[in-house]
Amino acid sequence: LAGAVPAPAETERETAAAIRDQAMHLHRMVTNLLDMARLQAGKAPLHLEWQPIEEVIGASIQVASQSLRANAVRVALSPDLPLVAIDAVLMERVLCNLLENAAKFSPPGAEITISADVEDDRLALSVNDRGCGFPPGSLPRVFDLFERGATESPVAGVGLGLAICRAIVESHGGTIDASNRDGGGACVRIRLPIGGAPAIEPEADEGREGGAA
């Protein structure tokens, strides 16, 4: 029509971003449903390999980057972490779910922290945020299938993420628990067995032996 005013470029970008976010949410929900069905049916065999956990953490942050665009992520790793026998793809899914959950319930600008250290014979991973925390009385049930807290987010969900995290972690012989942090926010902590990790061979220092001819 003559005289019609085209939509502003900013409005088009916002619409495209909203469509993209909803498509990503739908993709995650369908993937979570399929993964949960496979795990419950025992049809998700683990492909265990000795992995440096920092690489899995880095990959998870990259995959979840769109969900994390409003929040800074700080990584705090203890020195000399051992290798851990995990299915890297499934453990990446765990960390992505936890990061996306932390971002979902955190205000823009609030920092999310991933830390890793050793507790006895376990590798301990924590995802911490400064959001609204878990609702009172919900902590014993947060890992149950289809469990959702009373505190809702504008981003929809069906209560699958934490249930899948528990199923994957327990399939690795690990444990997962949740708590509320002093001063506000939530903490989800994973503990994975590390017994039998191979020693990391130091790189050969070429040229140390044998002097000049």
Side-chain angles (χ1 to χ4, degrees), residues 78-82 116-124 189 194:
S78 294
D80 301 322
L81 289 172
D117 53 25
V118 175
E119 293 182 359
D120 299 324
D121 60 346
R122 299 256 157 169
L123 179 70
R189 193 159 179 85
I194 55 176

Side-chain angles (χ1 to χ4, degrees), residues 92-110:
E92 182 182 301
R93 173 65 52 78
V94 170
L95 292 178
C96 283
N97 280 347
L98 296 181
L99 287 168
E100 290 170 354
N101 209 49
K104 176 179 174 181
F105 291 101
S106 294

Side-chain angles (χ1 to χ4, degrees), residues 9 30 33 37 56-57 64 72 85 104 111 117 120 127-128 142-143 150 174:
V30 171
L33 282 167
V56 180
I57 291 172
K104 176 179 174 181
E111 185 178 75
D117 53 25
D120 299 324
V127 177
N128 304 289
V142 294
F143 296 102

